[in-house]
Amino acid sequence: MKHSVLSVSRTTGRLTSGGRMLPSFLIMGAQRCGTTSLYRALAQHPLLLKPVLHKGVHYFDVGYGKGVSWYQGHFPLKVGAALLRKRYGRQPLAFESAPYYLYHPLAGERIARDLPGVKLIVLVRDPVERAFSAHSHELARGFETESHFEYAVELEVKRLAGAEQRLRADPHSVHHSHRHHAYLARGRYAEQLDRLEPLFGRERILVLDSHHFFAEPERTYARVLDFLEMPPLGNPVFERHNGRARPKPLPESVRQTLMEHFEVYDTQLAPWLGGDPSWRQ
């Protein structure tokens, strides 16, 4: 029943795509860094309009071959936005959240081409914790078959070998391990941000430390509204979403080894955050 409803909604969206909005900003990652929690907080703002069907459309990473009309069909109608503008005196902004956009090698180029002027929001967290969390997440969803985190990390280089080149050679292809097994690679945040900078400029990219978001959500929320040039409206409820229990603690020896691995990348990340990341303080 649910799939039938979604199918009808998508068909309706495609047929009415010309009368629908396109996003003004994207929450584009990183995976397991609080993107869902920020998305749900922002969606409570009356002028920030989420997709009609679900949080992430995944157009610019795995769905790009479906065309922009398919993508636009996922967003609210312009007539509804006009009514909101009349009520509040400000133009509403549509948005979505898809954490794979940050890591996919072609997503940034596609976004820059199809959404000129779009703003990007990126959340980052301790990359060791992110990797460990991502492994538990992929294991629970059935996308990971190796139950031992340490061994999954050892397999990563082999699993990802040639993945980016294949995605670029066949732009509409999907690479399972690139999407689901990049435990360390996705935590090298500065590499991914540096790829975006020439396309968007730093002034259109807001990088947030998720530790600060969860510790002081009101302050981070205010920063996001300021970045989007939107007034504070309503009283958002801040909650953690998509948390997942760990099967066992991460051994301290593994943590220390991975912290050493990420040290140079965390140093490169500091200018994006305006200081050392929380996990290095």
Side-chain angles (χ1 to χ4, degrees):
M1 180 65 178
K2 180 179 178 182
H3 292 296
S4 297
V5 172
L6 288 174
S7 179
V8 171
S9 297
R10 290 191 181 110
T11 300
T12 302
R14 185 191 293 267
L15 292 174
T16 59
S17 62
R20 293 180 180 272
M21 306 174 72
L22 278 171
S24 296
F25 72 97
L26 302 172
I27 303 173
M28 63 181 308
Q31 182 200 40
R32 309 303 296 164
C33 290
T35 57
T36 300
S37 298
L38 180 61
Y39 167 86
R40 295 196 179 181
L42 293 176
Q44 297 172 58
H45 193 290
L47 292 175
L48 302 180
L49 309 181
K50 64 183 181 179
V52 175
L53 298 177
H54 40 66
K55 167 192 163 192
V57 182
H58 285 289
Y59 174 61
F60 294 106
D61 45 27
V62 299
Y64 199 63
K66 296 177 180 179
V68 72
S69 293
W70 176 87
Y71 181 57
Q72 195 164 354
H74 287 75
F75 294 95
L77 290 164
K78 293 176 183 177
V79 64
L83 292 174
L84 288 171
R85 180 174 183 174
K86 184 176 181 180
R87 178 179 178 183
Y88 292 101
R90 298 290 293 270
Q91 178 63 35
L93 306 179
F95 75 106
E96 65 148 326
S97 174
Y100 191 32
Y101 286 171
L102 179 65
Y103 184 57
H104 193 283
L106 297 176
E109 300 166 17
R110 293 166 172 174
I111 292 166
R113 180 169 57 245
D114 293 352
L115 300 178
V118 74
K119 293 184 177 181
L120 308 177
I121 299 173
V122 174
L123 291 100
V124 297
R125 70 184 285 198
D126 178 342
V128 179
E129 285 295 316
R130 195 221 70 81
F132 193 45
S133 175
H135 177 259
S136 297
H137 184 63
E138 301 296 355
L139 193 64
R141 295 197 300 164
F143 295 129
E144 174 59 88
T145 56
E146 176 49 60
S147 61
H148 296 285
F149 172 67
E150 297 94 319
Y151 188 50
V153 168
E154 289 180 17
L155 288 175
E156 182 172 334
V157 171
K158 181 179 179 180
R159 283 170 157 180
L160 299 188
E164 185 167 324
Q165 292 86 340
R166 273 181 274 172
L167 288 170
R168 288 188 176 278
D170 183 2
H172 300 314
S173 64
V174 176
H175 192 286
H176 180 80
S177 285
H178 189 272
R179 187 173 183 182
H180 297 292
H181 301 149
Y183 302 119
L184 301 191
R186 284 210 194 194
R188 297 194 280 266
Y189 307 120
E191 291 182 346
Q192 298 158 73
L193 291 165
D194 290 346
R195 183 166 60 199
L196 296 177
E197 185 178 10
L199 298 169
F200 301 94
R202 289 208 178 199
E203 69 280 358
R204 284 201 279 142
I205 305 173
L206 177 65
V207 183
L208 302 170
D209 188 319
S210 65
H211 170 77
H212 297 314
F213 171 49
F214 287 118
E216 298 181 287
E218 294 85 0
R219 178 176 291 187
T220 300
Y221 179 80
R223 279 191 66 195
V224 173
L225 293 187
D226 184 62
F227 173 66
L228 299 175
E229 301 179 82
M230 294 298 284
L233 296 172
N235 298 292
V237 176
F238 300 103
E239 298 177 322
R240 285 179 179 255
H241 295 277
N242 276 1
R244 194 177 291 279
R246 312 288 177 80
K248 60 180 181 179
L250 180 64
E252 189 58 31
S253 60
V254 176
R255 177 185 298 281
Q256 288 301 318
T257 297
L258 294 183
M259 284 294 284
E260 291 173 8
H261 167 82
F262 284 115
E263 185 173 7
V264 63
Y265 304 106
D266 291 344
T267 299
Q268 295 167 357
L269 176 65
W272 286 96
L273 291 169
D276 291 335
S278 60
W279 58 90
R280 290 289 178 180
Q281 294 175 1

